[in-house]
């Protein structure tokens, strides 16, 4: 039977209401479709008991904090923005291992949620976890591919009870629910963004400098691919972004030797993120992306296009 978003919404609102009872709950939006859908369902289920927050980790998309503020305002959601940039950069100092980074981020999110929950006397955390998140985090006896920050990245001890209304859904189903809920297309059709943010697009240790590089590079990739899609040159990939390698290579700028970073451009076709094929981007679009990245980001001297499918690769680098 095909997935029925209307029916799902009715059932889910009822289930959330039952789970939360008379307690207060907090939920965090990240700007992505999953968290906005979960927050909207929760707002329908327990209005007046819900506290919506947005954590600025410093590892979000360019201009994301302003965008989230605007969307929340348009949806009539009262939003509390928490500036946690220093906390995340300090916490990630010296951490190079992908799973270690994910655990640090998961833990920091929960500690911040707990602090906010205390202020609003909330007993529940409503999260937009979807099926691939827990499947890839080793759910139901599967191997852990990566600990999604909202599942395997959670600390063992936490003071909040979880409520995860989208747990059984895949991304395309979440999009259908978002559309049915009346969310703007810019949200329900938005490309996925990983919970740990740009940290999984920076291979190795995260620094503020690297976060800025990858943020600017992602912006260029999104810009150019959006323009190419609009011009009818290619179909919209499922996900498209840039990542940063930790090593530098030699190049030239003007007449001088330069020693600069390498950016990887990634674009994939997928239905649910569980498997993916790299997108065939027209060469003129790739060239424009490369030229813009090396011109606009002076510390990047090389751009490569990732032609790996999943498997054996994953969509994100870490
Ligand atoms: P991978 O890299 O595992 O990504 O092929 C599959 C999809 O999941 C996103 N992703 C995450 N989403 N928390 C999330 O909410 C995470 O920790 C996480 N890690 C990866 C990724 O962007 C892709 O859409």
């Amino acid at each position: 039977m095909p997935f029925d978003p209307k029916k799902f919404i009715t059932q889910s609102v009822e289930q959330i209401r039952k789970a939360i009872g008379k307690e207060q709950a907090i939920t965090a939006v990240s700007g992505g479709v999953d968290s906005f859908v979960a927050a909207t369902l929760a707002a329908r289920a327990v209005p007046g008991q819900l506290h919506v927050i947005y954590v600025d980790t410093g590892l979000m998309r360019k201009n994301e904090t302003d965008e989230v503020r605007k969307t929340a305002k348009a949806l009539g959601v009262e939003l509390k923005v928490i500036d946690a940039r220093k906390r995340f950069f300090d916490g990630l100092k010296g951490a190079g291992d992908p799973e270690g980074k994910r655990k640090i981020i998961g833990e920091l999110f929960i500690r911040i949620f707990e602090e906010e929950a205390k202020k609003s006397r909330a007993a529940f955390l409503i999260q937009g976890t979807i099926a691939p998140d827990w499947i890839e985090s080793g759910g139901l006896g599967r191997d852990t591919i990566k600990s999604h920050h909202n599942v395997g990245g959670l600390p063992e001890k936490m003071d909040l009870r979880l409520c995860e209304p989208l747990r059984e859904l895949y991304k395309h189903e979440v999009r259908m629910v978002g559309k049915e809920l009346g969310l703007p297309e810019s949200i329900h059709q938005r490309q996925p963004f990983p919970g740990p943010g740009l940290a999984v697009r920076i291979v190795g240790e995260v620094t503020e400098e690297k976060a800025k590089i990858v943020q600017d590079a992602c912006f260029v990739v999104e810009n150019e691919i959006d323009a190419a899609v609009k011009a009818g040159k290619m179909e919209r990939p499922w996900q498209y972004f840039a990542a940063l390698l930790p090593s530098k290579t030699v190049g030239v700028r003007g007449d001088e030797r330069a020693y600069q970073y390498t950016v990887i451009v990634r674009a994939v076709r997928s239905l649910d993120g569980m498997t993916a094929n790299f997108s065939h981007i027209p060469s003129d679009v790739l060239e424009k992306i490369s030229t813009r990245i090396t011109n606009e980001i002076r510390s990047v001297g090389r751009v490569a296009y990732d032609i790996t499918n999943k498997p054996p690769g994953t969509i994100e680098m870490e």
Side-chain angles (χ1 to χ4, degrees), residues 30 34 102 105 128-130 132-133 136-137 145-153 171 191-197 200-201 238-239 241 266 268 270 272-276 310 313-318:
S30 66
D34 306 342
R102 283 170 174 275
I105 291 167
T129 310
I130 64 172
D133 297 348
E136 290 212 327
S137 298
I145 308 298
K146 48 183 80 174
S147 301
H148 284 239
H149 77 295
N150 47 356
V151 188
K171 197 68 148 199
Q191 65 159 317
F193 186 71
V200 294
R201 296 180 179 172
W238 196 71
Q239 209 165 358
F241 57 88
R266 183 96 167 117
V268 295
S270 179
D272 53 18
M274 299 295 292
T275 59
K310 172 183 180 177
T314 55
I315 295 174
E316 305 289 349
M317 292 283 145
E318 291 198 334

Side-chain angles (χ1 to χ4, degrees), residues 190-205:
R190 197 169 194 192
Q191 65 159 317
F193 186 71
L198 301 175
V200 294
R201 296 180 179 172
I202 297 167
V203 179
E205 189 183 356

